[in-house]
Amino acid sequence: MEKNERERIESLAGFIVIGSFLLILWQTGSFGLLVAAGIAAFLLIVVFILGMEMTKRKRIRQSGIHDVDRMSGKTFELFLEERLKQDGYKVKQTAKGADYGVDLLLQKDKTIIAVQAKRYQSNVGVKAVQEVRSGMDYYQANQAWVITNSHYTSNAYRLADKNKVTLIDRNQLITWLFRQKKSG
């Protein structure tokens, strides 16, 4: 769910909850009933939010390449997280704003992989390779990957080769999605 949509739902939920509390208090004059209604409302909101999150993650897991092309960068990271979990990786998102060039940290067995996700419309350049290679050292990872829905510049390929960074481009991503759909 995108930020604006979430904010609208939260505002509407807040309005409904406050309005309901005022109505209960006005109709009954009972603070005990108001507290009980508050607890019930809180539980309903939690269940609703969890249900929406599960639905969102399911929809993201089922996305194809054309869906990926329309995603925000943040949703692309979530998409990769869900897909990589399906491949048996433990996935951890890095702190936003201080990620040191790494969006996701993967772990499988004793291997730690630093991943930079690039949902681009144009080719990805050397900067992504530089950032993930630097982040690999910071997070003490064994490998570094850049995954994009696009392609890479020739300079990005050269730098990645020299720095042992794996570049996963659009064609590889499509193959990976197809393989997962067939096995899933």
Side-chain angles (χ1 to χ4, degrees):
M1 178 182 324
E2 298 301 325
K3 185 179 176 184
N4 290 341
E5 183 181 358
R6 185 174 42 245
E7 288 174 352
R8 281 189 300 239
I9 290 172
E10 288 171 356
S11 295
L12 180 60
F15 178 75
I16 291 170
V17 168
I18 291 170
S20 299
F21 287 163
L22 291 174
L23 183 63
I24 289 169
L25 189 59
W26 178 61
Q27 288 292 319
T28 67
S30 169
F31 282 101
L33 190 56
L34 185 63
V35 169
I39 292 169
F42 174 76
L43 292 174
L44 284 172
I45 290 170
V46 167
V47 168
F48 177 73
I49 290 171
L50 289 175
M52 286 181 58
E53 186 66 22
M54 286 174 40
T55 301
K56 173 186 174 184
R57 286 182 179 267
K58 181 180 179 187
R59 189 176 66 242
I60 285 173
R61 277 193 304 274
Q62 296 172 342
S63 297
I65 194 66
H66 297 296
D67 300 311
V68 169
D69 290 339
R70 292 187 299 272
M71 289 178 180
S72 68
K74 178 84 174 128
T75 304
F76 183 54
E77 290 174 23
L78 183 59
F79 165 79
L80 291 176
E81 178 182 344
E82 290 296 316
R83 290 301 185 136
L84 290 162
K85 283 179 182 177
Q86 287 180 313
D87 274 357
Y89 290 96
K90 291 180 185 172
V91 183
K92 178 181 167 192
Q93 290 189 13
T94 58
K96 299 302 162 210
D99 63 15
Y100 299 98
V102 175
D103 298 311
L104 303 171
L105 287 169
L106 313 180
Q107 185 174 358
K108 193 182 238 186
D109 302 320
K110 294 188 187 239
T111 302
I112 298 173
I113 304 165
V115 176
Q116 166 115 204
K118 291 294 185 188
R119 213 273 324 138
Y120 272 24
Q121 291 179 354
S122 58
N123 290 342
V124 178
V126 297
K127 185 178 179 200
V129 176
Q130 293 167 335
E131 289 175 351
V132 78
R133 182 61 182 90
S134 172
M136 177 182 143
D137 290 341
Y138 179 82
Y139 289 105
Q140 299 176 335
N142 310 94
Q143 298 177 28
W145 297 355
V146 181
I147 305 175
T148 186
N149 66 314
S150 186
H151 299 282
Y152 297 95
T153 64
S154 56
N155 286 340
Y157 279 112
R158 277 194 287 282
L159 186 62
D161 184 52
K162 292 283 185 190
N163 285 280
K164 311 263 186 295
V165 172
T166 301
L167 300 181
I168 300 169
D169 70 4
R170 182 179 189 83
N171 298 332
Q172 293 164 296
L173 185 59
I174 290 169
T175 300
W176 179 50
L177 294 173
F178 181 72
R179 180 177 42 87
Q180 282 186 332
K181 268 201 188 324
K182 251 180 123 176
S183 66

